Amino acid sequence: MPDLPTRLRVGFHWRGGPDVAYADITEWWRDPVVLRDLPPALAALFEPAPTVVLGPASRGTLIGALVAAHLGVGLVEVRKNDRVAAHSPFHIGRDLPRQMTLSFRRALVRPHDRVLCVDDWVESGAQALAIRDMVEEIGAEWLGLACVVDDLQDRDDVRRRLDARALLSAEGLVDTEVMTAAEAMLDAEVAPRTDG
């Protein structure tokens, strides 16, 4: 049976064309082994364990919930462009380029918390840096960013500031020999039964 990194690579696809390309990870959620093995793998990237997990909407919230449940801690969803938060003294937020605001309810992260941010992909690190800034403003301890794919490339300074750790690098997502062999194994696992 393929290991978790192989299953993640097999379930990953670049979609689109020459003008617009995007990472399609939707097959990850169809694979029950990925759903089972991903949370402990991400949690194992950090010691000590967090007291709360933060997950940016949308896939960070999905993966963050799985990791939080595995660890037996709570989850705080980091919302994007929440209109209520923009006018609420009960929320903390940060504005980012491209007219994006990240926010969460201030009371959900406490000064004594050890915070782990979880996301599927880190590219520029801007969202995670904004989340770290909010966590530190509250007085909580930032443990780091656990993500599935690190696409920071030559941004080692950002990787260090975030203490970003990942299961895969973006450069390692396309390995056709591994993909072909692993896809055949996965296809055999999920092939429809014909014995009635």
Side-chain angles (χ1 to χ4, degrees):
M1 179 180 336
D3 64 1
L4 178 62
T6 301
R7 294 179 96 88
L8 291 169
R9 285 185 193 98
V10 169
F12 172 86
H13 304 282
W14 286 110
R15 304 281 190 210
D19 296 331
V20 177
Y22 65 95
D24 180 358
I25 63 171
T26 55
E27 284 183 34
W28 291 354
W29 317 133
R30 180 63 177 92
D31 185 339
V33 176
V34 169
L35 290 177
R36 180 195 69 207
D37 293 351
L38 186 59
L42 287 170
L45 295 173
F46 285 89
E47 282 291 328
T51 57
V52 67
V53 170
L54 268 67
S58 68
R59 293 189 296 219
T61 302
L62 169 66
I63 300 170
L66 295 171
V67 172
H70 169 75
L71 291 168
V73 300
L75 171 77
V76 175
E77 178 185 19
V78 179
R79 306 283 310 263
K80 295 179 182 177
N81 299 325
D82 185 341
R83 290 179 294 185
V84 172
H87 305 286
S88 169
F90 304 107
H91 287 76
I92 185 168
R94 292 293 182 275
D95 292 326
L96 296 174
R98 293 183 279 159
Q99 299 179 334
M100 180 188 297
T101 300
L102 298 177
S103 63
F104 59 85
R105 279 194 32 231
R106 188 180 289 271
L108 296 177
V109 175
R110 298 168 186 101
H112 65 275
D113 275 326
R114 292 185 314 273
V115 178
L116 178 62
C117 185
V118 174
D119 209 347
D120 64 326
W121 195 287
V122 60
E123 186 173 357
S124 73
Q127 290 184 42
L129 287 168
I131 295 167
R132 178 185 175 164
D133 186 46
M134 291 184 281
V135 165
E136 291 178 342
E137 180 180 320
I138 290 170
E141 178 185 357
W142 174 266
L143 294 180
L145 170 66
C147 57
V148 182
V149 179
D150 178 341
D151 195 10
L152 285 168
Q153 297 173 5
D154 61 350
R155 296 181 184 95
D156 289 335
D157 59 324
V158 174
R159 189 176 290 108
R160 277 190 301 278
R161 287 172 50 203
L162 291 172
D163 195 1
R165 303 175 195 180
L167 301 176
L168 301 172
S169 69
E171 294 88 23
L173 285 174
V174 180
D175 181 347
T176 54
E177 289 179 30
V178 170
M179 298 277 283
T180 303
E183 282 177 336
M185 285 187 278
L186 288 173
D187 286 344
E189 285 180 23
V190 297
R193 294 181 61 174
T194 58
D195 58 0

